Amino acid sequence: MMLVFGKTGQVTCELQLLLQNACFLSREEADLSDPEACARLIREIKPEAVINAAAYTAVDKAEDNEELARTINGAAPGEMAKVCAELGIPFVHISTDYVFDGSCNQPLSPNHATNPLGAYGRTKLAGEKLIAEAAPVHAILRTSWVFSSFGNNFVKTMLRLSETRDTLNVVSDQIGGPTSARSIAFAAMIMARQLTNAPDKTGVYHFSGKPDVSWADFARVIFADAGKEMTVNDIPSSEYPTPAERPMNSRLDCSTLSEFGLSRPDWRADLKSVLIKLGAKA
């Protein structure tokens, strides 16, 4: 039986559709602000593998709540990793492109130098480092621009705004790979299963959808597929300031996914599926 931290997030909602016999822990059952309690739960349940898809993901709020974010994103997965190492079970952890500053002009490989721009990225990187120090059999899965029919995400925001507007200004100088939560969930499941018999696959992996696009171009595809008559105006990030700075380049080099028999999913196909679930497909 697999143990999954998280129950209501985008990836965990998709994992629940894929893993019928797994144990999913909600925030009430496993409070990541209490890392030791999370470690105790793993010892008590004694699963075959652990997937941590829970996190403090409020990127802008993390700027004012870095200590809490560091506990949830750093200390908690670090304690989980220690117990997984003790029990000799695989640990799969979902991380983010925000561990990079995005200043280079090429796809980022898993061994590219990290340099987070904000609190969220710093706390997620802290978690990665603690997992590596604990040295369980593990896969750290960095991903980007997550969307699904669940929770809050860019696709749902665009659809909501299209109900009251016919023109939107969208950032066009940030480039990345939109990634469906279902594709991430599938990858995490495959990795957890394979690591049991192939511990040598331990490491950091990148996983994002293809092709890479700007937020503005992503928005255009969303509106076109949803049959929305919307005009999207390209604007630079400087015209849409946020408390936390975003990396300009979030393109991820996902070539090492082949070790697990995985490849980059086409987000355009996944988007169509999400729009159908939301009742928004043209």
Side-chain angles (χ1 to χ4, degrees), residues 39-50:
R40 285 196 299 272
L41 284 166
I42 298 174
R43 288 194 182 94
E44 292 170 3
I45 295 171
K46 293 183 175 60
E48 297 172 356
V50 173

Side-chain angles (χ1 to χ4, degrees), residues 20-60:
Q20 303 299 320
N21 298 318
C23 176
F24 290 84
L25 297 175
S26 66
R27 186 176 303 173
E28 292 72 28
E29 295 166 314
D31 185 354
L32 270 69
S33 65
D34 186 350
E36 290 75 17
C38 295
R40 285 196 299 272
L41 284 166
I42 298 174
R43 288 194 182 94
E44 292 170 3
I45 295 171
K46 293 183 175 60
E48 297 172 356
V50 173
I51 298 176
N52 178 37
Y56 186 108
T57 57
V59 175
D60 290 322

Side-chain angles (χ1 to χ4, degrees), residues 178-237:
T179 319
S180 74
R182 184 167 182 80
S183 292
I184 299 169
F186 180 77
M189 176 186 71
I190 293 298
M191 288 179 164
R193 287 176 175 172
Q194 290 191 21
L195 282 169
T196 300
N197 297 317
D200 58 307
K201 294 182 180 181
T202 285
V204 179
Y205 294 87
H206 285 175
F207 185 81
S208 65
K210 66 176 182 181
D212 295 315
V213 290
S214 69
W215 285 114
D217 285 338
F218 186 22
R220 290 186 179 94
V221 178
I222 294 169
F223 295 136
D225 284 359
K228 301 285 188 179
E229 294 292 333
M230 289 287 292
T231 298
V232 175
N233 299 318
D234 291 16
I235 62 169
S237 299

Side-chain angles (χ1 to χ4, degrees), residues 96-109 112-113 115-117 143-145 171-177 206 208 212-215 237 245-253 264:
T96 175
D97 60 302
Y98 279 70
V99 299
F100 300 111
D101 61 20
S103 61
C104 72
N105 193 29
Q106 62 187 21
L108 300 154
S109 66
H112 190 91
N115 185 34
L117 297 173
T143 191
S144 63
W145 298 20
V171 168
S172 61
D173 55 1
Q174 294 175 26
I175 310 297
H206 285 175
S208 65
D212 295 315
V213 290
S214 69
W215 285 114
S237 299
E245 187 178 356
R246 270 64 171 171
M248 303 294 275
N249 174 34
S250 288
R251 292 179 295 155
L252 300 178
D253 178 349
R264 295 183 71 184

Side-chain angles (χ1 to χ4, degrees), residues 118-157:
Y120 172 66
R122 287 192 294 271
T123 61
K124 291 294 287 185
L125 182 59
E128 290 189 11
K129 290 180 176 179
L130 288 172
I131 292 167
E133 289 173 9
V137 174
H138 69 274
I140 293 171
L141 187 60
R142 293 179 183 146
T143 191
S144 63
W145 298 20
V146 184
F147 68 91
S148 71
S149 60
F150 303 103
N152 299 314
N153 56 69
F154 185 77
V155 171
K156 294 176 79 172
T157 297

